[in-house]
Amino acid sequence: MSTSQVTPLTAEDTVDVSIASAPRDIGAVPDLLKDISGLWDKYDPAADRATRLPLLEKATALAQALETPRETMLKHVGAETASFYTLTLGIEVGLFTELAKNGGSPKKSPELSAALGFDIDGLRRILRHFAAMGHIVQTGSDEWKPNNFSKSLTIPIVNGGYPFYRSVCTAPLLHMHKWMKTKGYPTPTTGKDNPFTFGNQTDQSMFEYMAAHPYLNDCFNHHMGGYRLGRPAWMDPTVYPVQDNLITNFDTSSSSSDPVFLIDIGGNYGHDLERFLDKWPSVPGRIMLQDQQSVLDNVPATLGGGRIEKFAHDFFTPQPVKGARAYYLHHILHDWPDDKCVEIVTNLKGAMTPGYSKLLVNEHVIPSVGASWEATYLDLYMMFLFGARERTEDDWKALLEGKCGLKIEKIWNPGNGVEGIIECIVEG
């Protein structure tokens, strides 16, 4: 156990309390306003991410410059926390579905209370906070309507993340400081005896825990669909050149039966393969989805127009499908510490044809400067839930080349919070 103590600030170092009630950086406001105006002039709905994200970045910087540390603190400890838990409650009782009825027309609190069977006093107070936070719109005294955010909370792939994070991830984060203090503040590096098992008072790893809680597992699987929503997919030409690197030189004569073009390993409900076939409907060869049988049982046979083959497989066992053109792992390795990643990759490596088969690892590649919040928050969750990590380019090279013996052909990293593709081969 660590016995270190924080050394108090000296008189010269003491921070003036007045800064907590003053804007963080009022001097930056004029330039930020000019930047926003210029970026707005260039905004193009047809190139949404390319022109919207820089605008959003500057708008966020403007809000941060104008906000006082006191206001930021109260949002963190109070307003945003209250929002998260009450939004989750609202999802589970059907509040946002009720608000969206009749085209989202304004509704009074008594009407909502009666429809939900929810006490009107508590409901009014929750609705007031939602309106104050911009989650819904107040249209009059005790009257409310949804906006695009709250309408989206009726969609399973959007709302599924809320009960999952509340019921699975809150306790590990809530008690993380206790676990770290008793251990001397180490970095968690194992799937058990970590903040997840400590906070949830279980000896199960997170995946074992999820398997034992079907509702939460369903929420997680829906959340994976929402996580991918509206983001460039790995098979987009802006991310990875599918035609040049996979379709060209695909060997259609390698087997007496149809050769396998692409296998999504641990592919959940097949969201990625479905998107792949939407973009590349005429791709040759067989397309396969591998996951645990309990997951595949929830995947319709009509997925991908019936073209996607379901194949039960545990990636901690040797890969039975040999010589595929591409083996694909999306957000698999970030769930595991390096020693487990080596097991997964080694089981794949034995199935790959040297110089022909590709291993495509679709994961964040964190830059040394200017990391996206979409990567950094996941990195912390991976650390506390799994003892794992999001990885930098050096991390990927050390793992895939140094520990697994693969050759990285190229790292395709689009940035802006979008996962890259680490393209690997087995050398002949």
Side-chain angles (χ1 to χ4, degrees):
M1 179 175 174
S2 174
T3 57
S4 62
Q5 295 183 350
V6 176
T7 304
L9 293 175
T10 64
E12 292 78 12
D13 292 328
T14 301
V15 177
D16 185 347
V17 71
S18 67
I19 70 167
S21 56
R24 285 199 231 174
D25 191 3
I26 198 69
V29 169
D31 285 341
L32 288 168
L33 288 170
K34 290 177 185 176
D35 291 342
I36 289 169
S37 178
L39 289 168
W40 175 247
D41 290 340
K42 298 175 184 176
Y43 175 67
D44 179 6
D48 177 69
R49 285 184 64 88
T51 57
R52 179 180 59 83
L53 291 183
L55 183 59
L56 177 60
E57 183 180 344
K58 292 294 182 181
T60 301
L62 176 64
Q64 291 171 342
L66 288 168
E67 193 169 83
T68 70
R70 169 199 166 272
E71 291 161 346
T72 304
M73 174 270 293
L74 290 176
K75 281 185 178 180
H76 287 166
V77 303
E80 291 170 352
T81 306
S83 286
F84 170 66
Y85 289 105
T86 50
L87 285 168
T88 308
L89 176 63
I91 289 165
E92 292 187 323
V93 301
L95 171 60
F96 302 106
T97 299
E98 203 63 37
L99 280 167
K101 288 181 178 178
N102 301 318
S105 59
K107 296 173 180 65
K108 294 282 190 178
S109 295
E111 175 188 354
L112 294 168
S113 173
L116 299 173
F118 201 109
D119 182 72
I120 193 167
D121 178 56
L123 183 62
R124 278 188 177 122
R125 293 157 73 177
I126 290 170
L127 289 166
R128 275 201 300 266
H129 184 59
F130 286 170
M133 296 297 288
H135 303 323
I136 62 173
V137 179
Q138 184 166 14
T139 52
S141 177
D142 209 23
E143 185 179 79
W144 325 88
K145 73 173 185 178
N147 54 21
N148 283 350
F149 169 69
S150 42
K151 286 179 182 177
S152 295
L153 293 181
T154 66
I155 304 170
I157 62 173
V158 177
N159 66 38
Y162 287 81
F164 164 71
Y165 275 90
R166 179 203 59 196
S167 298
V168 176
C169 305
T170 294
L173 273 291
L174 182 63
H175 297 289
M176 166 263 294
H177 66 289
K178 298 177 186 176
W179 182 89
M180 296 190 81
K181 184 176 181 179
T182 61
K183 303 282 185 178
Y185 298 98
T187 298
T189 56
T190 62
K192 295 185 179 180
D193 187 19
N194 61 19
F196 174 81
T197 55
F198 180 81
N200 284 310
Q201 298 182 24
T202 179
D203 60 0
Q204 296 175 312
S205 70
M206 179 173 154
F207 288 123
E208 292 169 339
Y209 185 86
M210 297 290 290
H213 295 81
Y215 166 66
L216 298 175
N217 201 44
D218 285 345
C219 289
F220 172 75
N221 288 328
H222 284 308
H223 176 56
M224 288 297 94
Y227 176 84
R228 299 174 175 96
L229 190 66
R231 298 156 59 90
W234 72 270
M235 73 290 298
D236 287 351
T238 57
V239 180
Y240 179 77
V242 170
Q243 178 67 50
D244 292 344
N245 285 37
L246 294 184
I247 297 176
T248 300
N249 297 324
F250 173 52
D251 186 0
T252 58
S253 64
S254 62
S255 173
S256 57
S257 60
D258 288 337
V260 177
F261 180 80
L262 174 64
I263 308 177
D264 186 351
I265 301 154
N268 194 254
Y269 286 176
H271 305 293
D272 282 3
L273 288 182
E274 194 166 36
R275 290 181 74 180
F276 181 83
L277 288 173
D278 282 344
K279 292 182 180 293
W280 298 93
S282 301
V283 70
R286 296 162 64 193
I287 307 294
M288 300 180 70
L289 171 65
Q290 292 184 342
D291 212 307
Q292 301 285 351
Q293 187 63 56
S294 59
V295 175
L296 297 180
D297 287 342
N298 295 310
V299 178
T302 55
L303 183 74
R307 189 167 171 197
I308 297 172
E309 303 175 36
K310 297 188 290 183
F311 192 116
H313 174 61
D314 178 351
F315 50 59
F316 283 112
T317 63
Q319 172 60 239
V321 181
K322 311 294 185 181
R325 179 60 165 151
Y327 298 88
Y328 171 73
L329 296 170
H330 187 191
H331 269 177
I332 300 297
L333 301 184
H334 81 154
D335 289 335
W336 301 96
D338 279 7
D339 60 334
K340 293 296 183 181
C341 290
V342 171
E343 289 185 38
I344 294 167
V345 174
T346 300
N347 282 319
L348 270 173
K349 184 180 173 183
M352 295 171 66
T353 300
Y356 171 73
S357 298
K358 309 268 190 180
L359 171 60
L360 304 178
V361 179
N362 190 192
E363 298 262 12
H364 285 293
V365 182
I366 299 181
S368 58
V369 177
S372 164
W373 63 267
E374 294 202 44
T376 56
Y377 95 84
L378 269 181
D379 186 35
L380 295 181
Y381 273 97
M382 294 305 104
M383 178 167 60
F384 295 130
L385 300 181
F386 297 104
R389 67 194 309 124
E390 302 298 326
R391 292 176 170 89
T392 65
E393 183 171 331
D394 287 343
D395 290 333
W396 285 118
K397 289 179 179 177
L399 173 63
L400 296 172
E401 292 187 334
K403 296 182 179 181
C404 297
L406 296 175
K407 174 179 171 54
I408 295 177
E409 292 265 90
K410 186 171 179 178
I411 295 178
W412 310 80
N413 191 17
N416 285 330
V418 179
E419 297 97 336
I421 286 286
I422 303 101
E423 180 185 43
C424 307
I425 62 168
V426 175
E427 293 187 289

